[in-house]
Amino acid sequence: MSASSKSEHVHAMARSPVNAHGFALLALSFQTLGIIYSDIGTSPLYVLNGIWPSTGPVPSKEDVIGGISAILWSLTLLPLLKYVLICLRFGTHEGEGGTFALFQGLYPPEEKDFDADRTLTGDSAKFSVRQPAKLTSKLRWPLLAWSLLGTSLTLSDGILTPAVSVTSAVSGIAIARPSVSHDIVPISIAFLVPLFLMQFRGTANLSFVFAPVAFVWLALIGATGIVNIIHYPGIFRAFDPSRAIMLFVRTGDYDLLSGVLLAVTGCEALFANLGQFNMLSIQFSFCCFVYPCLCLAYLGQGARLITDGEAVISNIFYQTIPGPANGPLFWILYVFAILATLIASQALITATFSLIQQLMNMHSLPQLRMIYTSDTIQGQVYIPIVNFILMVAVIIFVVAFKSSTSLTNAYGFAVATVMFTTTMLIALQMKFVKGLPAVLAIAFFLSFGFFDGLFWGSALRKVPDGAWVPLMLGLILVVFMLFWTWAKGLEDKFDGRNRMNLRHFILPSDTEEVFLRVGQNQNLQGEVSTESEDDHDVEDEKIQHPSYYILEDHDTGKGVGTGSASGRRELTRIQTCAVFHKLTVGKGVPHSFVGFIRQWPSLPRVVIFLAVRVLPTARVAPEDRYAVTKVRSIQGFYGVTYYLGFRDDFNIKIDEVVDRMCALEARSDPRHSSEAVDEIRCVTRQYTHIVPHYYVVSKRMDAGRISWVVNWVRSVLIEEVYRRLVTMFPEQENWVTSGDEIIRVGVTAEI
């Protein structure tokens, strides 16, 4: 495969949404039951008691019909219409969903040109290509902060969902066994810990285990709903939306809406998990199975609450199970309730992993070790440190809040805020990304923003009762992510400014002959090529070992042949091989190489500039893993791109790289290459990886009279906080080789 063909092949592997049809689509839809819907599917456990607490009075018949109507229309307008039918169409081109994915649509990230990684001498004013922003840059940081707030609150849901759902399910045992009512907390923890310990098995394996359980659970609550509806068929009047409106007009109790909100918790997971499935699979499973089962379950509970108010108000879900409290159906539903709530916890855990992967890719979080768990879907990952933090946090929440009622007060605020954030970003995408009429975007925002605002207002009233917890967590996370985005952006800008053209600071001797094959630029069989530097042909010259000089006071805007002799320093050539790692995409050599040869004025006989790039495919064939380019102005310099699939192990085989380098030498000059090939093979028997490590320092800023304050704050944030964190979480965390083979070159980065 030629170098140009390899480039086209690599770009053809750009990550795209999951594509499935026929039986594969049915299988994927079935998997969604075990990952996405268990959160919203377990809401019947606690929604009606969230509206009418067990310690309060029994509601009237009209109030029950109004409450069920509010639930049904909330399910119809938000999960069904807004998320399933509209929001799922606004994922990224890679198929990812969530609030941060919506921000990426408005401010697209840089397009990665992997060919530029091997361009070491080419002149270019731009090192990367960024798609034009859809909105003015002045709105970027406010929208980024708003998007990150929505994302951080979704991450908070990853803590609250397991705590709320499992505690609600376990509390049902107090009906059949009142003696263990005080052991609900330890029993809940005993169920939660194994769930987190199983996460390393991956989303696909877990979904095939969980999907049948979720299917049976939803079928059971739908069936019991049908049985319960028989007690009062008049409950079907709840499909009249005016019943919901009259409930709030009649009672004037705005707080009832915070209980209704619990019926739509988990709807953000439908969008956040888009990258792990696809739009059709989510739409098919929700519309054809999940939505009908939920509606039947709520209608049945409402019917029983009307007919048996006093007998069922203490725990509406468990008390409305047909049959005796200690009967077989009760225990069947109890077991499946616990299993379903564990799966509900899985939904948000999975969404958390997916969102953190997006945040790391966008440099809004440090690089954490990720383990890809699927051979087909890149979005399915396991992040060990995140899994451990979630487990500890969930246990703390269960112990601290003790009851499901207290937890639901904290739960709704995060959900309402995320829903409103999504509505605003979707409206902006309609106008500025999809190019739809502004009237349509405004209508979407006003209609769904109105409902989201109602829910958000009711949830805000719960802040003193527990909603301050997700608010606090969200604010802490969003501040940290904004800080990391800012600091990492400064470091990346420093790296971009300091990537240099080799010809601007390393020159061959003026007196000795240099072997240059400028006129020959062949794309070789395999994945090797030479890097063209001129547009005219020159005659082949005799092979010699030239001397090289470094310009000590160089001007990066000048080319070869500039600079006085007094400003040059000769570089000794040593018989060794050095592999310099390029951490960011772009042309030129990394700043670590410039600093290395200035501190140690010598050149290894073979220098490899290695860029590691992960492709959106599970595995890369051995023959496609390395692309090699030769630098002709300096003997023994090569640009190499190492392509990895997201499930490939990081294992650079220098022997394979050397084979391609030797093939390149042999084809570029068949008459004189044997000596060079023998020398390359001898030198590369031993090699050293050289990785840059930026020692960041704060750049002094001129801010007038408050300069000392600004510089002190920047110094603390960059030198005391960011510097320590970037050392703890190195950028090469997910692909670094053995520490014994690495030399880390310190580079002072003034940012």
Side-chain angles (χ1 to χ4, degrees), residues 349-426:
I349 294 171
T350 301
T352 299
F353 291 156
S354 181
L355 289 173
I356 288 179
Q357 182 189 26
Q358 291 182 54
L359 292 167
M360 288 193 295
N361 290 339
M362 291 299 294
H363 291 177
S364 292
L365 278 180
Q367 291 295 314
L368 306 173
R369 188 169 71 92
M370 288 191 304
I371 299 173
Y372 292 92
T373 59
S374 171
D375 284 332
T376 56
I377 303 177
Q378 188 176 359
Q380 294 186 0
V381 297
Y382 164 63
I383 307 175
I385 184 63
V386 173
N387 188 59
F388 177 77
I389 292 173
L390 281 176
M391 181 178 69
V392 173
V394 167
I395 292 173
I396 292 173
F397 270 54
V398 171
V399 173
F401 282 85
K402 293 184 175 62
S403 70
S404 58
T405 303
S406 300
L407 283 166
T408 53
N409 288 335
Y411 194 30
F413 180 79
V415 176
T417 306
V418 173
M419 289 195 304
F420 187 79
T421 301
T422 299
T423 297
M424 184 187 71
L425 293 175
I426 289 288

Side-chain angles (χ1 to χ4, degrees), residues 123-142:
D123 291 313
S124 177
K126 290 180 67 178
F127 289 104
S128 59
V129 179
R130 183 184 291 273
Q131 299 178 21
K134 311 299 182 181
L135 289 173
T136 174
S137 58
K138 294 180 180 179
L139 293 176
R140 184 177 186 275
W141 280 99

Side-chain angles (χ1 to χ4, degrees), residues 37-54:
Y37 300 118
S38 295
D39 185 12
I40 196 170
T42 53
S43 294
L45 282 166
Y46 47 78
V47 169
L48 292 194
N49 276 126
I51 300 174
W52 299 291
S54 58

Side-chain angles (χ1 to χ4, degrees), residues 283-294:
Q283 290 177 335
F284 181 78
S285 56
F286 187 83
C287 296
C288 297
F289 184 66
V290 178
Y291 177 74
C293 288
L294 289 175

Side-chain angles (χ1 to χ4, degrees), residues 195-236:
L195 174 69
F196 286 99
L197 296 181
M198 288 193 301
Q199 290 302 311
F200 75 95
R201 299 295 300 174
T203 300
N205 291 326
L206 291 173
S207 63
F208 272 116
V209 175
F210 289 161
V213 176
F215 177 84
V216 173
W217 162 256
L218 289 167
L220 280 173
I221 63 173
T224 57
I226 294 173
V227 173
N228 286 331
I229 289 171
I230 297 174
H231 289 78
Y232 186 75
I235 193 65
F236 282 112

